[in-house]
Amino acid sequence: MDQERTKNERLQKENSQLKQENRELQKENTSLKNKLTVLMEFAKTQMSKFKEWQAERQQEKEQQRERNLARKKTRSWSVKPTSDLFF
C-alpha cells in the first residue's frame, strides 16, 4: 500500500510538472504566433510597396521608350539625306 501511495505521489508530481511545462509552452506558442502575425503583416506591406515601385518603374521605362521613339522620329523628319538634294 505504501509503495502504491509513493508511486501515486510521484506520478502526481510528474503530472504537475508536465502541466506547468505545457502552460509555458502554450504561452511561448502564443507569443510566437503574435510575432509571426506581425512579420507577415510587415512582409505584406513591403511586397505591396515593392509591387507599386515595380509598376512605377515599368511606367517610367515605357515613358522613356516613347520619348526616345518620338526623338528618333523628329530627327528622321528634320534631317534629309544629302543625296536627295542632288536628284
Side-chain angles (χ1 to χ4, degrees):
M1 200 64 140
D2 195 39
Q3 205 175 23
E4 200 172 304
R5 188 168 30 105
T6 306
K7 182 179 178 182
N8 192 24
E9 287 174 358
R10 185 179 54 81
L11 288 174
Q12 285 178 343
K13 184 178 178 183
E14 187 180 337
N15 189 37
S16 178
Q17 289 172 341
L18 289 172
K19 283 182 180 180
Q20 178 62 30
E21 186 179 339
N22 189 37
R23 282 191 292 272
E24 290 170 6
L25 289 172
Q26 285 176 339
K27 284 180 186 176
E28 185 180 356
N29 189 35
T30 300
S31 175
L32 290 172
K33 282 181 180 179
N34 290 338
K35 288 177 182 178
L36 179 60
T37 300
V38 169
L39 285 172
M40 289 300 293
E41 287 301 315
F42 177 74
K44 285 178 188 177
T45 59
Q46 292 302 306
M47 182 58 86
S48 177
K49 287 178 183 179
F50 173 74
K51 286 182 178 181
E52 186 178 311
W53 172 84
Q54 203 174 29
E56 289 171 1
R57 182 73 179 115
Q58 185 63 33
Q59 190 175 9
E60 288 171 6
K61 283 182 180 180
E62 289 296 325
Q63 289 172 348
Q64 184 64 39
R65 192 174 298 126
E66 289 172 10
R67 284 193 293 268
N68 288 343
L69 285 174
R71 236 182 271 140
K72 286 179 183 178
K73 285 181 182 177
T74 305
R75 280 191 215 140
S76 67
W77 291 337
S78 63
V79 179
K80 301 269 183 198
T82 54
S83 60
D84 288 350
L85 299 174
F86 297 112
F87 294 109

